[in-house]
């Protein structure tokens, strides 16, 4: 069975500083990895994914994530955070041969001005 | 940009009552999903649906739950006799189809319906 861990419930950063949201996963076989963001009263919005290829993937709103197979991690990063990045971030994984996503518990990001 | 929509945004019901949660997937998508998130817990997969039948379901999705695509645009989740523990946020998602036949990698989610069972 697959699982995802997001070790931090909350991440607080100042605007303009780098932002990192951590994610580690466990899955049989090759993983398909995703990041979603949820703003208040909105659905889960897709940010980016890793399927295969380059370990560094770029997504929406200037976010990127690095796949590290040896550490089974897929950390989300943004070089310079904005106040508008304040939201709830979810990491998700599925095996290559299964379509159901397994989600982490979510990390609340607060970017202060 | 096309979006998945869900109605109602909030549903309050009495224990034992039937509820139907509605979703309109993105128009050219053919794979549909329901997930739920109990307050303070992780988002959990309930069921996936393709070609008018369930393709996969979790152990949560017991006989009290059913899904249907009653017309060309709606996708519904019915809970026959609600229990207190069914209180959760329910998310609908959809995926387009690959040329090879399976769903594409990315699932697009709606805003959710918050179900409160009293």
């Amino acid at each position: 069975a697959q699982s995802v861990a997001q070790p931090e419930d909350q991440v607080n950063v100042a605007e303009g500083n780098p932002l990192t949201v951590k994610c580690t996963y466990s899955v049989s076989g090759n993983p398909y990895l995703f990041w979603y963001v949820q703003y208040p009263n909105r659905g889960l919005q897709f940010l980016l994914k890793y399927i295969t290829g380059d370990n560094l993937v770029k997504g929406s709103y200037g976010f990127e994530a690095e796949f590290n197979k040896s550490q089974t991690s897929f950390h989300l990063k943004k070089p310079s955070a904005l106040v508008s990045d304040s939201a709830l971030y979810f990491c998700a994984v599925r095996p290559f041969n299964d379509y159901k996503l397994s989600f982490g518990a979510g990390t609340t990001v607060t970017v202060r001005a | 940009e096309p979006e998945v929509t869900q109605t109602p945004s909030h549903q309050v019901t009495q224990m034992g009552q039937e509820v139907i949660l509605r979703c309109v997937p993105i128009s050219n998508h053919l794979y549909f999903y329901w997930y739920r998130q109990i307050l303070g817990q992780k988002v959990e997969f309930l069921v996936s649906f393709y070609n008018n039948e369930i393709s996969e379901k979790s152990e949560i999705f017991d006989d009290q739950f059913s899904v249907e695509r009653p017309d060309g645009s709606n996708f519904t989740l019915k809970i026959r006799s609600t229990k207190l523990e069914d209180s959760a946020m329910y998310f609908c998602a959809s995926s387009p189809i690959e040329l090879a036949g399976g769903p594409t990698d990315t699932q697009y989610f709606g805003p959710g319906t918050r179900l409160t069972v009293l």
Side-chain angles (χ1 to χ4, degrees):
Chain A
Q2 62 260 31
S3 65
V4 174
Q6 292 181 243
E8 299 156 318
D9 292 335
Q10 292 211 348
V11 170
N12 298 308
V13 297
E15 190 172 35
N17 281 2
L19 169 63
T20 298
V21 186
K22 295 179 181 176
C23 170
T24 58
Y25 67 89
S26 172
V27 71
S28 299
N30 293 327
Y32 286 8
L33 293 153
F34 303 84
W35 277 101
Y36 287 85
V37 60
Q38 185 177 30
Y39 297 100
N41 301 316
R42 301 289 299 276
L44 299 168
Q45 295 181 38
F46 168 72
L47 269 183
L48 51 77
K49 66 183 177 186
Y50 171 82
I51 303 299
T52 188
D54 194 348
N55 289 343
L56 184 66
V57 293
K58 294 186 184 298
S60 308
Y61 314 119
F63 283 94
E64 58 190 30
E66 186 162 15
F67 171 61
N68 187 317
K69 188 172 184 177
S70 62
Q71 297 185 2
T72 61
S73 67
F74 189 57
H75 301 330
L76 180 71
K77 299 180 182 183
K78 186 169 184 179
S80 178
L82 300 172
V83 172
S84 57
D85 293 328
S86 298
L88 181 56
Y89 291 80
F90 291 96
C91 181
V93 68
R94 69 167 178 88
F96 71 97
N97 58 351
D98 192 348
Y99 300 114
K100 62 178 183 285
L101 289 172
S102 294
F103 284 84
T107 299
T108 299
V109 170
T110 301
V111 182
R112 60 187 185 275
Chain B
E1 184 178 331
E3 290 182 337
V4 176
T5 59
Q6 292 185 242
T7 55
S9 57
H10 192 188
Q11 172 100 39
V12 181
T13 189
Q14 295 291 326
M15 190 169 54
Q17 295 297 303
E18 174 184 287
V19 295
I20 298 176
L21 310 183
R22 290 183 167 80
C23 168
V24 179
I26 295 172
S27 63
N28 63 340
H29 289 190
L30 297 177
Y31 274 85
F32 313 117
Y33 312 84
W34 284 101
Y35 290 78
R36 78 172 185 190
Q37 184 180 30
I38 295 171
L39 191 64
Q41 299 185 23
K42 294 184 178 184
V43 176
E44 304 171 287
F45 169 81
L46 291 178
V47 65
S48 60
F49 188 88
Y50 170 68
N51 200 23
N52 282 322
E53 61 182 28
I54 290 172
S55 47
E56 191 171 4
K57 62 182 180 179
S58 72
E59 58 274 10
I60 302 168
F61 194 88
D62 61 22
D63 292 344
Q64 292 299 312
F65 291 89
S66 62
V67 289
E68 191 179 30
R69 186 155 165 82
D71 53 42
S73 59
N74 288 283
F75 178 53
T76 62
L77 174 70
K78 182 193 290 187
I79 309 175
R80 260 180 271 282
S81 178
T82 50
K83 307 184 191 72
L84 295 176
E85 54 265 37
D86 294 328
S87 295
M89 180 74 88
Y90 288 80
F91 293 105
C92 174
S94 67
S95 294
I97 191 167
E98 292 178 332
L99 290 174
T104 63
D105 310 309
T106 304
Q107 295 176 24
Y108 296 89
F109 285 77
T113 292
R114 180 165 297 286
L115 176 65
T116 302
V117 182
L118 302 176

